[in-house]
Amino acid sequence: MTDVRTAMIIGGGIAGPVTAIALRRAGIDATVYEAHHSRADGIGGALMLAPNGLAALRAIGAAATVERVGLPTPRMVMETGAGKRLGTFEDLPGVPTSRTFARPDLYAALLEVATAAGVRVEYGKRLAGFDSTADGVLARFADGTTAAADVLVGADGIRSTVRALLDPGAPQPRSVRLLGLGGWVDGSGLRGTGGAMHFAFGRRAFFGYQIEDDGRAGWFANLPSPEPVTAAQARLTPEAEWLRRLRAVYADDTLPALALLDRVPEGGLVNVGTMQDMPPVPVWHRGRAVLVGDAAHATSPSSGQGASLAIESAVELARCLRDLPLPQAFAAYEALRRHRVEKIIKRTARVNSDKAPGPVGRLVRDLTFPIAMRTFYRQERMMGWVHRHAIDWDAVVASPGHSPVAGHSPVAGHSPVERANR
Ligand SMILES: Cc1cc2nc3c(=O)[nH]c(=O)nc-3n(C[C@H](O)[C@H](O)[C@H](O)COP(=O)(O)OP(=O)(O)OC[C@H]3O[C@@H](n4cnc5c(N)ncnc54)[C@H](O)[C@@H]3O)c2cc1C
């Protein structure tokens, strides 16, 4: 049984609001403190939620509002820059359909569900430090204010302040040597992709796109970049120059890339610099503070799993806090999550290297990929353990040491193939 009544959640991105919604459902009062001064309205790139992320939202009754603002994306098409189809990956049967979001729409929908659930959200609250005692946590914000609660949840993203405060020796994010650019184009005039997200191995760089029936298109580009570049450094180069460089990169490909780049509205280019992931984070919790989402386990965007894993972890953390006292709750949460998220991060590192291979690597990839994707069994084997992950909200979490740790059902929703892969 929990001894936690109140939680303060640092970060109002994805993991923060979902943790707050789930905690409210668990009977724990939650307040979100976000560093930005307002909601992230306006421009933002495309982000895809996978079946497992949507299933985790459904487990806490938070999916309906979110799914309404996402574009169903039931299949992924892998192709070469010459337009040769390497394979199609359909969503596996029996799981929620993947959805693509404009990032600000997803954030807004999550905050809408959170506030409807009674969660308070305070903006302009950048965490600067905290003190954890036997009785509670006192947080200090950069604006000089403080707040207190029974626990503090660090949902403050890949450059987490909470992580550094928990463990000054914590590793830093590492560059995955790919620049991330992207955005949205309205009225592209291009033919819709019929609910498919296309992932194209262009001659010089990777390109992704999905075009809705009305011509609205989400796109992204991953350019090889041996040196790390921060978002701030990337933005020192004018948008027009980036668009010129992108056109040159995709000039020899037979893709809608050039048509989309020509239609990027002024101020419509999202540029995050070189993308990053996190090496294993040794300390996930200490005292009354705990990490969730990218703060604990950021995978490079190539996995298409960062947000979904953040949602899964948020829901599992709330279950643990509902059912167990501290410190067992945090230990059970880490036991439930660490192996899975680190396995996915490791696997994605391989995907990143596939995005910028040399000529021999390209040939091998183009020959082997269609074989790998050919049968349902292979797709199930490759993706089943990721996409079929199901959280049983009602299952009571056992204290670590009591095996099995209940809740991420070893039966419900897990195929035999998945069990073989675990
Ligand atoms: C280019 C790109 C494309 C991506 N595409 C996908 C995709 O298609 N699918 C997918 O699943 N994932 C994708 N990801 C990854 C995904 O965005 C992250 O995994 C996800 O946002 C993690 O959620 P989070 O809540 O942990 O962190 P964030 O969403 O980063 O939220 C952290 C929040 O904490 C706030 N904050 C930071 N510091 C403080 C502080 N000191 N005090 C208070 N607040 C603070 C920030 O302002 C922010 O609002 C992509 C990432 C990038 C960069």
Side-chain angles (χ1 to χ4, degrees), residues 11 13-15 34-36 48 103 107 125 127 156 161 294 306-307:
I14 294 173
E34 165 57 43
H36 284 124
M48 198 162 145
R103 186 180 284 264
Y107 282 25
K125 296 290 177 188
L127 183 86
D156 50 346
T161 301
D294 272 11

Side-chain angles (χ1 to χ4, degrees), residues 12-35:
I14 294 173
V18 178
T19 307
I21 295 162
L23 285 174
R24 288 290 300 183
R25 210 179 155 89
I28 296 170
D29 193 30
T31 305
V32 173
Y33 297 91
E34 165 57 43

